[in-house]
Structure formats: structure tokens, C-alpha cells
Amino acid sequence: MRLIQLVTTFICLVAFVCDAKQIAIVIDDIGNHQRDLEFLNLPGELTYALLPHTPFSQHFAYQAALKNKELILHIPMQSLDNKTLGPGGLTLDMQKWQLQKTLGHALSSLPHVKGVNNHMGSALTQHDEPMKWTMEILKKRSLYFLDSRTTPYSQAQTVANIYGVNNIARHVFLDNELESKQLELQLNQLKTIATQQGYAIGIAHPYPKTQRFLRDALRDLQDQGFELVPLSTLVENKYIRLAALQNTPALSP
């Protein structure tokens, strides 16, 4: 009887995940411009990734809290082409105490965030040590990590798993190109992934063209059978699925 109940629960969970078609969209690079506030008027449960110590990050966080929107810290990390990071950046030449102090200061400036993702980071995320130091801080603060996947060689999720930090990865960048056809193409790719595996994560940026595109596109998602959810919902669902898989006994042949 117990085996039947467990198998039934697992089947129901799998069916739910497959039918859910949940999408999380993260708006990166928030905080440098007052116009970023306009993204709070977009429909649906978007997640906003705030750059630390920027002119409008704290005001944005305050306004987002009034609307009950989910926030994460968009922490700058060293890239392979050594682009300018801005305030709060984490670099490969930092010692452990420097990196953790910098990250901790950024998190303290935005205390309502639920998680962290990397701004750039194609260099830093490839290295175990800075990722270990990062995950130590996130574990202490019970924050999740979204790997923006700016490099296929990222070690972030591997290290996060070792440290017991809940984590998940981006599937699609929606607006690397801002032509309407390209925006539509990338959103369709996101919807295809959500249809195939039950969920998908897209990252966009606070460009005026992106804002205009999403204003209409997000309204259509629900009519098309997709559910727009905060990123934390997909993180939680990931670990519910993993727990169900671990707790379901193998069936005898």
C-alpha cells in the first residue's frame, strides 16, 4: 500500500510539472536609470535583479516591495574580456575575506533579496575557489543562486550543490538582439522549453524596446496556457521534484 501511494504521488507530481508550463523572467541590470522603474508596471510576476550601489537600486527595491515583486542581487563578477564591473564587483585577484566582505556589503544594501545571480562573470564563475567563497555567504543567508550561464564552463551550480545552496540556471537571453523578430524568436524558444519540460527561465534587460515588447507579450502568455511565476517558485519546484525522485522506490521488473 505504501509503495502504491508513493508511486501515485510521484506520477501526480510529474504530471503536474509537465502540464504546468511555468515561466520565470528575470530583468537584469536594474538600478542605473530612473526609467528602470517603468518595468514595475509590466503585467505578471516578474523577478528583478538589482545591481548593488547604483543610483536607483534602493528606490527600485522600495517600490518593488510595495508591489510585492521578487528581487535578487545582480552581483558583478569578472568577465573574460575584463569589462568594467561597477561598484560591488567580485574579481579573481580578491582574497577570500575581500570577496566575502564585498558580497556581504552588497547584500546588506538590499536586504529584501531572495537570491543572487551573476552580472557578467564569464571568468569568475569558471573558478572553484571564488564560487566556494560565494556559496558560503549564500548558504548562511539562505539565498538561492541563479547561474546566468555567461560561460558554458561555469562551476557555479556544481559548487552550489556541494554547499547545499539551492540553485537553477538560465535557459534563454531574450534581448541580446532588439529587433522585434528576434525578441519574438527568443520568447518562442522560451515557450518551447517550458512546454517540453514544464518550466523555463528567461533573462531580459531594462531596454525601452524590451519594455514595449514585454508589455504586450506577457499578457498573451496566460492566454497561451503559460504561467508567469517568480523565480523562487521554480527553484522550490526543482527541489520538490528532486525529493520526490529520491523518495520513490524503484519498481520491480
Side-chain angles (χ1 to χ4, degrees):
M1 181 63 70
R2 175 64 174 163
L3 175 59
I4 293 173
Q5 290 174 338
L6 286 170
V7 172
T8 301
T9 299
F10 174 68
I11 291 173
C12 289
L13 178 63
V14 171
F16 168 76
V17 170
C18 291
D19 291 340
K21 295 202 298 186
Q22 294 180 319
I23 288 176
I25 294 178
V26 180
I27 309 298
D28 271 0
D29 296 352
I30 294 290
N32 280 316
H33 305 285
Q34 188 170 7
R35 67 171 182 263
D36 296 351
L37 290 162
E38 296 175 9
F39 276 75
L40 287 171
N41 297 322
L42 288 173
E45 295 291 342
L46 297 176
T47 299
Y48 301 91
L50 277 62
L51 289 162
H53 318 305
T54 46
F56 295 96
S57 59
Q58 292 191 336
H59 182 57
F60 188 100
Y62 174 76
Q63 294 297 325
L66 294 178
K67 294 176 177 286
N68 199 30
K69 298 295 186 179
E70 181 159 316
L71 303 175
I72 62 176
L73 173 67
H74 193 41
I75 191 71
M77 295 183 180
Q78 185 173 332
S79 64
L80 289 169
D81 52 9
N82 289 316
K83 290 181 180 178
T84 302
L85 294 181
L90 309 181
T91 59
L92 287 168
D93 61 357
M94 283 181 167
Q95 299 179 36
K96 178 178 180 177
W97 70 268
Q98 292 174 305
L99 185 146
Q100 292 189 334
K101 181 179 179 180
T102 302
L103 177 56
H105 184 42
L107 288 168
S108 296
S109 72
L110 296 166
H112 299 300
V113 300
K114 290 190 174 182
V116 172
N117 75 327
N118 52 297
H119 173 55
M120 298 188 283
S122 53
L124 197 83
T125 59
Q126 293 189 36
H127 292 264
D128 288 348
E129 283 299 301
M131 287 298 96
K132 290 176 182 177
W133 303 339
T134 298
M135 298 309 163
E136 283 183 6
I137 298 297
L138 301 194
K139 181 64 176 177
K140 289 178 182 177
R141 294 177 181 246
S142 299
L143 299 172
Y144 66 77
F145 186 80
L146 166 66
D147 191 348
S148 300
R149 298 295 294 176
T150 55
T151 170
Y153 306 109
S154 173
Q155 300 301 307
Q157 286 190 278
T158 299
V159 176
N161 290 334
I162 293 171
Y163 279 78
V165 173
N166 288 356
N167 62 87
I168 204 161
R170 181 268 315 168
H171 295 106
V172 176
F173 280 119
L174 292 173
D175 55 0
N176 279 351
E177 297 183 45
L178 289 170
E179 295 298 323
S180 297
K181 289 184 179 180
Q182 289 300 317
L183 290 166
E184 190 71 40
L185 184 66
Q186 294 301 95
L187 183 61
N188 285 338
Q189 183 182 353
L190 192 69
K191 290 189 287 188
T192 297
I193 294 170
T195 300
Q196 291 174 344
Q197 67 179 31
Y199 76 98
I201 298 167
I203 289 179
H205 301 85
Y207 306 133
K209 285 186 178 180
T210 299
Q211 195 259 349
R212 291 193 294 271
F213 172 76
L214 290 178
R215 184 179 55 208
D216 298 323
L218 295 180
R219 291 193 181 97
D220 294 337
L221 284 177
Q222 186 172 357
D223 294 338
Q224 296 166 353
F226 296 94
E227 182 185 5
L228 192 63
V229 298
L231 182 58
S232 60
T233 296
L234 298 189
V235 177
E236 292 163 5
N237 287 349
K238 172 184 173 179
Y239 288 93
I240 290 172
R241 291 195 302 272
L242 289 174
L245 287 168
Q246 292 171 355
N247 293 326
T248 302
L251 296 176
S252 300

